[in-house]
Amino acid sequence: MKLLFWLLLGVIVYWALRKQTLHKPAQRSQTKFDPKNLRKTATTPFRPSSAPVENMVECSYCQIYLPASEAIQVKSLSSEHYFCTKEHAKLHSATDKKIFD
Ligand SMILES: [Zn+2]
């Protein structure tokens, strides 16, 4: 009976250690320094790997920066404008030159 207890304890310890070592490499790989990425990180500014890469554009009216996907793009013959809101697009067209008809 004593042997069974030690055998069971051994299995539990083995299982616990195995579970711990299985989880560790996944956590380490995220923060691990990779020399292959050195050139890449040296030329491009640092950004978290989880964050999507997106262009930032400036609102032509209030000069606030926002993601290009959220911006309202207005193309005219000579130039291209981005706006944070429809209101700013209308206000800009009213003050600057007529973009909307
Ligand atoms: Zn704006």
Side-chain angles (χ1 to χ4, degrees):
M1 198 66 190
K2 212 172 185 181
L3 183 76
L4 192 75
F5 168 76
W6 285 111
L7 197 74
L8 198 72
L9 190 78
V11 168
I12 290 165
V13 168
Y14 172 75
W15 177 78
L17 284 170
R18 200 171 160 222
K19 201 178 176 186
Q20 216 171 29
T21 50
L22 279 171
H23 280 270
K24 268 184 183 174
Q27 288 175 336
R28 221 190 284 158
S29 65
Q30 290 177 339
T31 52
K32 198 180 140 191
F33 175 75
D34 191 0
K36 284 176 190 171
N37 291 334
L38 188 65
R39 185 180 273 185
K40 210 176 176 183
T41 51
T43 51
T44 54
F46 172 78
R47 64 171 69 89
S49 57
S50 58
V53 180
E54 190 164 13
N55 271 350
M56 296 296 279
V57 291
E58 187 183 19
C59 174
S60 295
Y61 187 78
C62 65
Q63 278 81 46
I64 200 169
Y65 280 88
L66 69 154
S69 63
E70 290 172 33
I72 294 155
Q73 191 179 1
V74 177
K75 282 180 184 175
S76 64
L77 290 167
S78 58
S79 60
E80 197 176 44
H81 292 276
Y82 292 95
F83 299 98
C84 59
T85 57
K86 278 181 182 178
E87 284 73 33
H88 280 183
K90 281 175 186 173
L91 283 164
H92 184 264
S93 67
T95 54
D96 191 37
K97 53 192 170 183
K98 204 176 181 187
I99 297 167
F100 294 107
D101 290 319

